[in-house]
């Protein structure tokens, strides 16, 4: 099975690099400058699961000539339009496209571009970034890669082949029989976390330790769960308990990656995460006052950032 990972940043670099290290046929589609650096230094991974240097197979936009079996997208939402154009030459009649991005809006976009039958469901859980020398820095033991068919036979030929290709990689991979439910449960958790930490400019522990903080977080979570339920994906009891445990931990230093990007003055996936959740709520006729506040706050941040730029 030939795998193409778009980009070799923190997330794609870790999962793709570990898969290549385990013997999978992995190619990275990267920009010319990144290709030159990786070709010289290799893809360097620093991780509690073990450091590694992988000499990767690389292509740039102009070098993609043949279709791949699976194309993995781990880009930020605001880069999705350019990512779609970059992968077009790599998509053939039998190519599966596997986004491991945050949110659910990417499926509407990818389905319209390539057809729903070509688009698998996927998600990942990892804290990874690029270091100052371009190395992939994995922060912690946690690294989970989940994928599956969104319709039809869960253990399809292509998913079983991907399961085998990733079996020996240094991360936890899982072929899910209910990937859309898994994606929605992550979306509910992430939207709550991003809304709360961006709005309050603090960690989970700092927020829920405030007088009204835990109530605020619970209200956000409840609103997001209402949207999921009305969309046909009621959050399961186990996922609800796990989310509440994390989101009400007064000792937690957790923040959303969106908050970390915001704190550095960077671009954020606000429209794709919080904005889309609010849009879906309105379409469904749901009253979600906390999401309205969070989305307005993020819009103001983006407007201020554009003025500075």
């Amino acid at each position: 099975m030939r795998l193409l990972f778009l980009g070799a940043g923190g997330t794609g670099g870790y999962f793709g690099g570990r898969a290549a290290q385990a013997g999978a046929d992995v190619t990275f589609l990267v920009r010319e400058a990144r290709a030159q650096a990786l070709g010289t230094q290799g893809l360097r991974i620093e991780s509690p699961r073990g450091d590694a240097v992988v000499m990767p197979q690389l292509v740039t936009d102009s070098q993609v000539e043949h279709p791949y079996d699976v194309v993995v997208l781990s880009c930020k939402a605001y880069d999705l339009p350019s990512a779609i154009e970059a992968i077009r030459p790599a998509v053939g009649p039998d190519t599966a496209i596997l986004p491991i991005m945050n949110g659910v809006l990417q499926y509407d976009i990818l389905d319209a571009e390539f057809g729903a039958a070509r688009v698998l469901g996927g998600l990942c859980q990892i804290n990874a970034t690029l270091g100052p020398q371009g190395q992939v820095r994995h922060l912690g033991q946690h690294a989970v890669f989940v994928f599956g068919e969104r319709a039809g036979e869960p253990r399809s030929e292509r998913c079983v082949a991907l399961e085998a290709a990733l079996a020996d990689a240094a991360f936890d991979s899982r072929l899910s029989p209910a990937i859309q439910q898994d994606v929605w449960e992550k979306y509910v958790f992430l939207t709550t976390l991003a809304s709360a930490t961006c709005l309050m400019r603090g960690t989970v522990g700092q927020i829920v330790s405030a007088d009204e903080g835990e109530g605020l977080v619970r209200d956000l979570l409840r609103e997001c769960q209402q949207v999921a339920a009305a969309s046909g994906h009621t959050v399961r009891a186990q996922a609800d308990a796990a989310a509440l445990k994390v989101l009400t931990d007064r000792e937690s230093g957790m923040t959303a990656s969106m908050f970390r990007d915001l704190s550095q003055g960077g671009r954020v996936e606000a429209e794709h995460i919080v904005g889309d959740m609010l849009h879906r709520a309105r379409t469904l006729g749901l009253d979600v006052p906390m999401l309205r506040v969070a989305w307005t706050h993020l819009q103001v941040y983006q407007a201020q950032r554009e003025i500075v730029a």
Side-chain angles (χ1 to χ4, degrees), residues 50-134:
D51 296 346
V53 178
V54 178
M55 297 308 297
Q57 299 183 84
L58 305 168
V59 292
T60 60
D61 289 354
S62 62
Q63 296 172 329
V64 179
E65 298 178 350
H66 305 291
Y68 289 78
D69 296 311
V70 177
V71 177
V72 180
L73 299 179
S74 61
C75 58
K76 293 287 191 178
Y78 44 75
D79 287 329
L80 184 56
S82 61
I84 287 171
E85 295 310 312
I87 68 171
R88 260 188 219 286
V91 178
D94 299 317
T95 300
I97 300 165
L98 173 55
I100 53 171
M101 302 164 59
N102 293 325
V104 297
L105 184 57
Q106 64 270 22
Y107 295 104
D108 297 341
I109 298 168
L110 291 169
D111 287 355
E113 289 288 343
F114 298 106
R118 285 201 181 122
V119 184
L120 296 173
L123 64 89
C124 68
Q125 298 170 347
I126 191 172
N127 186 0
T129 187
L130 285 184
Q133 283 79 47

Side-chain angles (χ1 to χ4, degrees), residues 158-218:
R158 62 187 181 179
C159 280
V160 170
L162 181 57
E163 181 182 46
L166 301 179
D168 296 327
F171 54 81
D172 302 318
S173 64
R174 177 168 62 89
L175 170 50
S176 170
I179 189 62
Q180 292 199 101
Q181 182 69 27
D182 294 331
V183 168
W184 264 96
E185 287 173 353
K186 180 183 176 183
Y187 183 33
V188 165
F189 172 80
L190 179 63
T191 304
T192 304
L193 179 66
S195 296
T197 58
C198 288
L199 190 60
M200 295 296 116
R201 295 292 207 277
T203 67
V204 166
Q206 291 167 341
I207 295 167
V208 298
S209 294
D211 290 347
E212 300 297 325
E214 183 173 329
L216 179 151
V217 170
R218 286 178 178 270

Side-chain angles (χ1 to χ4, degrees), residues 11 30 52 75 109 119 121 138 165 169 171 193-194 209 241 252 279 290 304:
T11 300
V30 294
C75 58
I109 298 168
V119 184
H138 177 210
F171 54 81
L193 179 66
S209 294
S252 174
H279 172 74
M290 290 305 305
Q304 293 174 336

